[in-house]
Amino acid sequence: MDNGTNANLGPALFLLAAAGYVALRSRPASTRKTTYNKNPLHCTLYSKSVTQHQLIKRFIRKTPLLHSKEVGNGNVFFKMESRQLTGSFKLRGALSKVLMLSEEEKKGLITTASTGNHGLACMRAFAQGKVGGVICLPGNVSQYKLNKLKALVGEGGVKVVGGDTAESEAAAREDAGKAGGCYISPYNDTTIAAGQGTIGLEVLEQLGGVVPDNVYIPVGGGGLITGIAGVIKALVPGCRVVGCSPANSPCLEMSVKAGRVLREGEFKNENTYSSGTAGGIDDDSFTVEACSFLVDDWIQLSEEEIKGGVRFMFGEFKEVVEGAAGCGVAGWKKDERGKGGERGVSVVVCCGGNVEAKEFAEMIG
Ligand SMILES: *[C@@H]1O[C@H](CO)[C@@H](O)[C@H](O)[C@H]1NC(C)=O
Ligand SMILES: *[C@@H]1O[C@H](CO)[C@@H](O)[C@H](O)[C@H]1NC(C)=O
């Protein structure tokens, strides 16, 4: 669908976008080489990130890129999406999608199914795009969460359907499909992933002339990593992209290694502090193919290591990040490659900061 129609346009769009991006940079175009691996999916992701950035940038925060000479020999930078509006990077993707909806789709039904960061982001994006979207929630959602969501979007913006998240997601898809509308996926959509990819454009701009050697990105469904890697690999092809997943729930990593989406029961799926990246992924998610050529290495993190990542951000910078962000930080800390002053410049994506006080205390305690 989204991919298919854009694949043919990819190379043309890519060139246009690349030209636009280079023109935007302060450095002369001749000193900055643009390159990509000629895969149409990569072209689509990168060119869309550049165009979507122009569309969404006035509605998002340009989040800080933290750096300290005392931390990691001064060779590491932390992109603080925990300070993004709605508390996570998800707003970029949601806005990217919602602001691109056609008039027909808007007349139909726009749905999504998430009680987490993606849900929060969609609600803000719906308001921004003046779209009456509906969030589908499973029957066992806590009364507290339900009331909070209803207060935010009104009674009509929330639908309780299905026994678990998979069922409410299926209902959300079906409702949107029947009404000629659109289901807003948390990750399985190149327009969403490209929205997350705008982080890569911001990071390169914020780094000035500094060229990153490694970038560490938490991995759930893969929208964040494919979006950012699509940009990084186009502009700094030598930069190593490292996917960081909780050892307790590494579905996408295992799926990429197996060459197909693994189903429930085929991968470890236990509780993790990195709840934002936990769980299974859609059948046929485009992120499996995209990761197979955009991600260089994978690192799995134990619960202790994830907590250590969260503790580190609080200790060094007094920043509050959620477990999924701790997972990325832990990946950077654990990475063995090039240790001993030879690690080069690293960037860690701190994807979100939505964590309850009790859980945060548990992690840093
Ligand atoms: C709802 O049920 C699913 C399994 O069907 C479970 O994973 C989830 O934790 C439950 N949520 C609540 C709030 O009880
Ligand atoms: C995920 O996206 C792919 C590519 O656009 C699509 O073919 C597939 O149906 C999507 N999967 C689901 C479960 O929606």
Side-chain angles (χ1 to χ4, degrees):
M1 39 179 208
D2 206 21
N3 274 335
T5 46
N6 284 304
N8 302 336
L9 273 175
L13 265 176
F14 173 84
L15 284 174
L16 237 144
Y21 178 72
V22 169
L24 282 171
R25 304 267 319 165
S26 47
R27 289 205 281 161
S30 58
T31 66
R32 170 162 282 269
K33 254 210 188 118
T34 308
T35 174
Y36 67 112
N37 76 359
K38 297 191 176 62
N39 179 302
L41 184 49
H42 188 190
C43 292
T44 301
L45 285 167
Y46 171 63
S47 57
K48 277 194 180 183
S49 281
V50 174
T51 49
Q52 296 308 89
H53 195 212
Q54 297 309 310
L55 182 70
I56 68 172
K57 71 178 181 191
R58 80 195 106 132
F59 301 121
I60 57 174
R61 269 192 199 137
K62 183 172 177 178
T63 53
L65 187 70
L66 295 186
H67 178 241
S68 157
K69 286 203 186 102
E70 283 75 50
V71 176
N73 299 326
N75 62 1
V76 61
F77 295 79
F78 298 90
K79 180 63 171 166
M80 302 310 294
E81 283 298 294
S82 49
R83 298 225 223 142
Q84 186 53 267
L85 297 169
T86 74
S88 86
F89 72 96
K90 293 278 188 184
L91 182 63
R92 295 173 186 262
L95 276 170
S96 174
K97 185 71 184 177
V98 168
L99 298 179
M100 290 293 280
L101 290 170
S102 69
E103 287 308 315
E104 279 103 292
E105 283 171 324
K106 283 194 231 172
K107 272 184 216 139
L109 184 64
I110 311 303
T111 65
T112 189
S114 159
T115 58
N117 287 339
H118 175 65
L120 281 170
C122 281
M123 286 190 285
R124 191 175 173 100
F126 290 157
Q128 206 91 58
K130 301 201 170 28
V131 168
V134 174
I135 300 201
C136 296
L137 305 171
N140 69 348
V141 65
S142 76
Q143 198 61 42
Y144 169 77
K145 216 163 202 173
L146 188 62
N147 289 341
K148 213 170 139 184
L149 288 172
K150 277 184 178 168
L152 275 168
V153 292
E155 198 80 29
V158 180
K159 181 174 173 184
V160 177
V161 54
D164 60 22
T165 48
E167 279 176 30
S168 57
E169 197 180 302
R173 275 180 213 283
E174 203 184 311
D175 287 357
K178 269 195 260 170
C182 183
Y183 167 73
I184 316 281
S185 166
Y187 56 84
N188 187 23
D189 185 321
T190 56
T191 304
I192 303 268
Q196 327 300 19
T198 60
I199 292 169
L201 295 172
E202 271 182 26
V203 165
L204 292 180
E205 192 195 315
Q206 289 169 313
L207 281 172
V210 177
V211 177
D213 297 296
N214 310 289
V215 49
Y216 299 86
I217 307 171
V219 175
L224 180 65
I225 196 166
T226 53
I228 296 178
V231 167
I232 297 281
K233 289 285 187 189
L235 299 171
V236 191
C239 180
R240 186 168 150 258
V241 172
V242 184
C244 307
S245 26
N248 272 359
S249 190
C251 182
L252 183 55
E253 171 181 342
M254 304 315 280
S255 298
V256 172
K257 288 177 175 167
R260 68 180 173 88
V261 172
L262 297 184
R263 286 158 201 270
E264 194 66 51
E266 291 186 310
F267 62 96
K268 191 172 172 187
N269 192 8
E270 289 171 11
N271 276 342
T272 170
Y273 281 108
S274 182
S275 53
T277 67
I281 57 177
D282 285 355
D283 290 345
D284 315 319
S285 179
F286 88 90
T287 54
V288 175
E289 189 205 336
C291 282
S292 72
F293 60 83
L294 289 171
V295 178
D296 298 289
D297 286 308
W298 300 90
I299 296 182
Q300 285 190 21
L301 289 313
S302 70
E303 292 305 293
E304 275 313 308
E305 288 165 335
I306 291 168
K307 287 200 278 187
V310 172
R311 207 180 300 127
F312 178 89
M313 290 312 291
F314 188 68
E316 296 291 345
F317 294 105
K318 299 294 169 280
E319 290 284 331
V320 174
V321 300
E322 61 183 69
C327 193
V329 175
W332 162 72
K333 287 176 76 184
K334 187 176 186 176
D335 190 16
E336 283 300 324
R337 202 169 134 180
K339 274 237 171 90
E342 304 287 321
R343 297 177 86 174
V345 173
S346 294
V347 174
V348 181
V349 179
C350 287
C351 53
N354 285 329
V355 56
E356 280 178 33
K358 187 164 157 265
E359 191 171 321
F360 183 70
E362 227 172 271
M363 287 193 281
I364 65 167

